[in-house]
Amino acid sequence: MRRRLPEERPTEPPAGYKIAHPVLSQDGARAGFTGVSLGGALPYGVLDEARCVYGRRHRAPHRRCDCGFHCVHESAVAEAMLCTAEHRAAVLLEVSVLGAYIRFERGFRYARQRVRSATVGPCGCGAVAAALADAGWGRPGWRALSAACAGCVRGRTSLSLASFARLAGEGLRVRATGGPVVAATGLGVPELAAEAALLQARLDWFQGQLARLHDRDPQG
């Protein structure tokens, strides 16, 4: 006879950590995340249910498949993954493990999750991120976003951290490394200052572009 594994019935959802890329839908109406490994082809929302990446009809997580959301127990383990070249643009997520799950030595594979918070690393220039801007790649119907400071946003499609939190919904909290926590609720002084800096950066970029066109126009 096969031994059944012990079942856990926690009073509160277990917490875990993972890394992912922020994404914005093509129409700009939705925000979410996409994984860095097997599940990267299936973007997900802040509160979402796992689907089998192979298209099978079983419910995730299935014991004979590797489908389902994945996370690790310790934030330091997830943060270590951000050191690799291919994951430098990802963000650190803290999640609540919901529904059925399978526990492993280093983490969980599970059916549903709520992303509680996202920590955004610095801009490529080293400055504290003020926005999430078009990273230059994506999935069908979704643009991948990466950290950007106000000076590096320029004319790219972008969202401030506060705007991303509001668009993603479900009480998501977003913070930049070295910056304040931004919730999906009303804007405070730091968030309004960041929004103003982004608007000013875009205005400066557009004025620069207009100046270049004016210099090139012999009729100007």
Side-chain angles (χ1 to χ4, degrees):
M1 295 180 61
R2 295 177 57 188
R3 293 182 58 187
R4 294 189 61 183
L5 296 176
E7 294 186 1
E8 299 182 26
R9 298 187 181 276
T11 56
E12 295 183 358
Y17 302 87
K18 62 195 303 180
I19 63 173
H21 295 286
V23 292
L24 177 67
S25 63
Q26 183 179 359
D27 60 5
R30 293 173 293 162
F33 302 93
T34 189
V36 298
S37 57
L38 180 66
L42 300 174
Y44 54 85
V46 171
L47 179 62
D48 214 333
E49 186 169 345
R51 291 157 286 168
C52 180
V53 71
Y54 302 111
R56 297 168 184 166
R57 296 183 179 180
H58 56 238
R59 297 179 62 181
H62 196 278
R63 292 192 178 278
R64 297 185 179 179
C65 186
D66 51 7
C67 60
F69 291 123
H70 295 72
C71 72
V72 294
H73 297 307
E74 300 178 7
S75 61
V77 175
E79 288 181 65
M81 297 174 64
L82 295 172
C83 295
T84 62
E86 63 269 30
H87 297 154
R88 287 290 178 94
V91 301
L92 176 68
L93 304 183
E94 180 185 0
V95 302
S96 291
V97 175
L98 307 175
Y101 62 81
I102 300 173
R103 180 187 289 270
F104 296 94
E105 181 180 359
R106 300 183 67 183
F108 298 97
R109 182 159 63 91
Y110 50 102
R112 299 179 66 240
Q113 76 176 4
R114 180 187 295 276
V115 181
R116 298 169 58 183
S117 68
T119 301
V120 181
C123 174
C125 72
V128 175
L132 292 167
D134 191 340
W137 65 276
R139 309 295 184 199
W142 295 87
R143 292 186 179 94
L145 306 176
S146 61
C149 67
C152 292
V153 168
R154 299 188 178 183
R156 289 185 290 167
T157 298
S158 63
L159 291 172
S160 69
L161 302 188
S163 295
F164 183 88
R166 288 197 305 274
L167 195 59
E170 299 293 342
L172 176 68
R173 303 186 307 274
V174 183
R175 70 178 297 268
T177 302
V181 176
V182 177
T185 54
L187 298 180
V189 173
E191 293 78 46
L192 289 173
E195 296 276 3
L198 283 176
L199 290 174
Q200 185 62 53
R202 291 194 182 100
L203 179 60
D204 292 343
W205 182 81
F206 280 116
Q207 287 178 332
Q209 295 296 102
L210 287 173
R212 292 189 186 93
L213 290 174
H214 179 77
D215 292 340
R216 294 175 184 174
D217 187 357
Q219 303 298 323

